Amino acid sequence: MKIRIPATSANLGPGFDSCGIALSQYLNIEVLENTKEWKIIHSLGSDIPTDATNLLIQTALKLAPDLSPKVLKMTSDIPLARGLGSSSSVIVGGIELANRLGNLNLSQKDKVQIATEIEGHPDNIAPAICGDFVVASYVDGEVHSVKHHFPMCDVIAYIPDVHLLTSESRSVLPTSIPYKEAVQASSIANVMIAAILNGNLPLAGLMMEKDRWHEAYRKKLVPHLDEIRALSHKIGAYGAFLSGAGPTVLILSPEEKTDQMVQELEKLPQSATINVLSIDKEGI
Ligand code: HSE
């Protein structure tokens, strides 16, 4: 049995804790055989447990405590702690593992609800499960989400060679913002979503760069954002924004501008990986 979970990018600028897209990089889990103790074979680094303390198995056992131990193989090209949903992919993988091995018959809605309760916000979880573009709210303990087609474009991921934990990137956010500012921030997000639904990427990209919820507070942790945004304007990409909690920056680009955009990004002094991705339409 094989499970494949896409990387995700949360927020899309103003859709803080609410909007996300699924991307064409993946965590792959394969169930190999029965055994006495849970075991994960991987080459993802010595920090990632290979036994039942791994978040994948912990999550699966939370849902289905009686699962019999297996040997699993795990591979992933989703970089850790870069704002591309690596921990969500593991949580979603654990839920799907329990669902299939334990015959839980969970619906997509069930999976989104359970995974969000674990993660605390739905913006990586929901697109990882559903694929494509998802808008979700998590209010009064219940998740409501809508999946919609994201317009065709290239998604360039500028992934700096540094880790940034979500907890650190959330710790710099304010505990409240003035009412008037919240109204503006909400209107920007609303127009961004409406523009995506209309297939209007130039307008969506413009709104993605006007976030008022989080990017300004996180700037000190992601000094490269402004520079990349300036390059994106020069070349004529649709927009550049922080992917989730950072430090990755995503640039939405018309296909014909992508090569030039990548060449410019390669000239930046910071050590980084640059990947040209597409939207994953399927989820798990
Ligand atoms: N919405 C979350 C944040 C995504 O920006 O903190 C990262 O997990």
Side-chain angles (χ1 to χ4, degrees), residues 215-234:
E215 283 188 354
Y217 308 102
R218 289 172 161 169
K219 279 262 176 76
K220 53 183 177 244
L221 302 172
V222 285
H224 48 282
L225 177 60
D226 279 342
E227 203 173 5
I228 292 175
R229 209 162 252 173
L231 284 178
S232 146
H233 294 167
K234 187 176 105 182

Side-chain angles (χ1 to χ4, degrees), residues 10-11 16-18 119 121 123-124 166 170 173 214 218 244-245:
N11 302 330
F16 182 69
D17 273 4
S18 171
E119 174 122 308
H121 43 88
D123 46 342
N124 291 106
T166 298
R170 286 179 92 85
L173 301 178
H214 66 113
R218 289 172 161 169

Side-chain angles (χ1 to χ4, degrees), residues 4 6-9 12 20-26 127 130-134 147-156 196 201 208 241 250-253 276-283:
R4 191 181 81 153
T8 47
S9 180
L12 309 184
I21 46 176
L23 297 168
S24 58
Q25 283 188 295
Y26 297 93
C130 307
D132 222 325
F133 167 56
V134 182
K147 172 181 174 176
H148 195 276
H149 165 68
F150 196 84
M152 277 293 288
C153 65
D154 284 342
V155 182
I156 305 170
I196 291 172
L201 278 180
M208 284 171 185
F241 52 88
L250 289 196
I251 302 107
L252 300 186
S253 172
V276 179
L277 306 172
S278 55
I279 305 287
D280 171 280
K281 296 284 173 186
E282 305 295 329

